[in-house]
């Protein structure tokens, strides 16, 4: 990864006609002013592998590269893990630290002080038996105290918080820590960015990001309270081709002719072959025709998975039945409504 190329890309984007150009220019200015005030040795960046931190890190590297004649190395950075992190996220963090030459300090909070809130329902699950029933935040304070002892010269920390994040609505570009916390100034260069802005930036500049976002996750926390966003779930439909093979048609894609179910139909039969029957969740019965042009697709047939359902079981490629169906999700950047960003976050589910 060439940092000089990163610098050129981010500054060119700030001067472009892109919809996010004003946001990029604003963030670069905040980072530059922070470095002017403190100097590189007294500034650190918080990096936890999330999409927002990834945007901020790319911008920060661009600013550092533009200000220096040599490649920035051993960049001050801190990672405060959440309880039970995703292995894919941990791998991405390690890969990114190497790619960007980060001096990434893993600031582990005490076991008895979680970083984020732990709902009682989550603690009652086997995976969370070792996590105490305490409210989050204290672990963050203790972790930052460790970091201050380890790096007493660091006075400002760049943070990838946005207005739409929890506790982000009242934050400004620069905020000092609350009384009783280690004395850092928190810098929020992308505080005014939207969910859409983040993805436009990452995809415009082809910035590597955690693979979980391609699997339907839109906000990543601990494994016990983070799930694929239900707003991105693909609702499959089923069909049987003339040769007898099966194929899914998510949202009707992949077929030129589409016919809808009659309203309030209790039974729709388009074929005399009962072996090609698909059972939707709503209890209606659909028999798929051997003629694709006469096939009736029902998007409510969420049990169909990768093929039709026969007697309640998904049919596999070899004709055998499976009691499990594959649930698929669109990537995070396809979420249109940014207000649903955290729809996949919540207490542990059964």
């Amino acid at each position: 990864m060439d940092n000089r190329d990163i610098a050129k890309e981010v500054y060119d984007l700030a001067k472009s006609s892109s919809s996010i150009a004003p946001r990029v220019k604003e963030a670069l200015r905040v980072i530059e002013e922070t470095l002017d005030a403190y100097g590189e040795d007294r500034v650190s960046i918080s990096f936890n592998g999330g999409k927002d931190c990834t945007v901020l890190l790319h911008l920060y590297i661009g600013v550092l590269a533009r200000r220096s004649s040599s490649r920035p190395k051993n960049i001050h950075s801190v990672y405060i893990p959440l309880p039970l992190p995703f292995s894919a996220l941990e791998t991405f963090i390690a890969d990114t630290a190497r790619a960007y030459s980060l001096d990434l300090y893993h600031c582990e909070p005490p076991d008895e002080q979680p970083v984020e809130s732990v709902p009682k329902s989550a603690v009652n699950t086997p995976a969370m038996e070792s996590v105490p029933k305490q409210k989050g935040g204290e672990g963050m304070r203790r972790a930052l105290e460790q970091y201050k002892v380890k790096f007493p010269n660091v006075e400002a920390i760049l943070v990838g918080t946005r207005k739409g994040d929890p506790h982000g609505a009242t934050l400004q570009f620069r905020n000092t820590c609350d009384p009783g916390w280690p004395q850092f100034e928190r810098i929020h260069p992308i505080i005014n960015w939207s969910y859409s802005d983040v993805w436009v930036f990452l995809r415009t500049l082809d910035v590597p990001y955690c693979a979980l976002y391609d699997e339907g996750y839109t906000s990543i926390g601990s494994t016990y309270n983070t799930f694929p966003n239900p707003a991105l779930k693909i609702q499959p439909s089923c069909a049987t081709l003339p040769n007898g093979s099966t194929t899914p048609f998510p949202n009707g894609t992949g077929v030129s002719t589409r016919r809808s179910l009659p309203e309030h139909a209790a039974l729709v039969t388009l074929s005399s072959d009962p072996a090609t029957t698909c059972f939707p969740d709503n209890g209606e019965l659909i028999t798929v025709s051997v003629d694709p042009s006469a096939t009736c697709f029902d998007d409510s047939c969420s049990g169909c998975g990768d093929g039709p359902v026969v007697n309640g079981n998904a049919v596999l490629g070899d004709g055998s039945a499976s009691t499990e169906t594959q649930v698929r999700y669109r990537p995070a950047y396809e979420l249109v409504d940014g207000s649903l960003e955290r729809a996949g976050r919540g207490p542990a589910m059964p």
Side-chain angles (χ1 to χ4, degrees):
M1 183 173 293
D2 191 320
N3 292 357
R4 302 297 296 182
D5 289 342
I6 294 176
K8 184 178 187 308
E9 288 178 348
V10 296
Y11 279 93
D12 284 350
L13 183 58
K15 295 183 293 185
S16 72
S17 59
S18 170
S19 61
I20 64 168
R23 294 294 184 224
V24 174
K25 184 177 180 180
E26 178 182 75
L28 293 174
R29 174 182 59 79
V30 174
I31 296 172
E32 289 169 346
E33 291 176 351
T34 301
L35 291 173
D36 289 340
Y38 290 100
E40 294 179 19
D41 289 339
R42 292 191 292 163
V43 175
S44 181
I45 181 170
S46 174
F47 184 71
N48 64 7
K51 61 187 182 302
D52 301 333
C53 292
T54 301
V55 167
L56 179 58
L57 177 60
H58 205 74
L59 290 167
Y60 186 44
I61 295 298
V63 174
L64 290 175
R66 197 184 202 205
R67 295 165 68 97
S68 175
S69 59
S70 60
R71 175 186 173 90
K73 293 182 179 180
N74 301 321
I75 299 168
H76 289 312
S77 50
V78 57
Y79 168 43
I80 303 177
L82 296 176
L84 301 178
F86 286 87
S87 58
L89 186 68
E90 297 270 274
T91 299
F92 173 72
I93 291 171
D95 292 343
T96 302
R98 286 191 294 269
Y100 287 95
S101 299
L102 300 183
D103 180 17
L104 187 63
Y105 181 74
H106 287 239
C107 200
E108 297 282 354
D111 292 337
E112 72 277 9
Q113 302 291 349
V115 173
E116 63 178 356
S117 298
V118 181
K120 183 180 297 185
S121 59
V123 178
N124 291 335
T125 62
M128 290 299 295
E129 289 179 351
S130 61
V131 178
K133 302 177 184 178
Q134 293 193 24
K135 195 172 183 179
E138 178 62 15
M140 179 72 72
R141 186 183 69 82
R142 296 282 295 276
L144 289 176
E145 285 179 346
Q146 294 179 23
Y147 190 62
K148 189 66 173 179
V149 171
K150 184 72 175 180
F151 299 92
N153 60 308
V154 172
E155 298 182 28
I157 299 181
L158 299 169
V159 184
T161 301
R162 294 182 288 113
K163 290 282 189 184
D165 294 332
H167 314 296
T170 61
L171 295 178
Q172 305 300 319
F173 289 127
R174 301 171 68 163
N175 292 89
T176 57
C177 287
D178 296 333
W181 283 62
Q183 288 307 295
F184 294 107
E185 184 172 28
R186 295 168 294 162
I187 313 296
H188 310 107
I190 63 170
I191 190 68
N192 292 326
W193 288 42
S194 68
Y195 179 85
S196 175
D197 292 337
V198 168
W199 282 110
V200 170
F201 180 89
L202 292 174
R203 288 170 57 76
T204 297
L205 299 186
D206 197 23
V207 179
Y209 55 81
C210 180
L212 291 173
Y213 290 114
D214 285 334
E215 300 173 12
Y217 293 88
T218 53
S219 176
I220 302 175
S222 301
T223 53
Y224 74 85
N225 70 352
T226 303
F227 312 95
N229 195 318
L232 293 173
K233 183 179 179 181
I234 297 174
Q235 301 292 342
S237 298
C238 318
T240 300
L241 299 181
N243 62 6
S245 62
T246 60
T247 182
F249 291 95
N251 292 335
T253 59
V255 64
S256 58
T257 304
R258 179 184 178 91
R259 292 169 54 181
S260 299
L261 281 172
E263 187 175 3
H264 307 304
L267 174 64
V268 178
T269 302
L270 298 179
S271 170
S272 59
D273 181 8
T276 57
T277 300
C278 179
F279 297 88
D281 290 343
N282 59 10
E284 294 176 345
L285 177 64
I286 304 171
T287 302
V288 183
S289 171
V290 295
D291 179 7
S293 66
T295 298
C296 182
F297 297 94
D298 181 11
D299 284 339
S300 68
C301 186
S302 59
C304 296
D306 277 346
V309 173
V310 177
N311 296 329
N313 295 324
V315 177
L316 303 180
D318 59 2
S320 62
S322 170
T323 57
E324 296 183 2
T325 57
Q326 178 183 1
V327 179
R328 296 183 299 153
Y329 294 84
R330 293 183 177 84
Y333 54 79
E334 291 192 17
L335 182 66
V336 176
D337 186 353
S339 67
L340 298 177
E341 176 182 357
R342 296 179 64 85
R345 298 288 296 274
M349 299 173 64

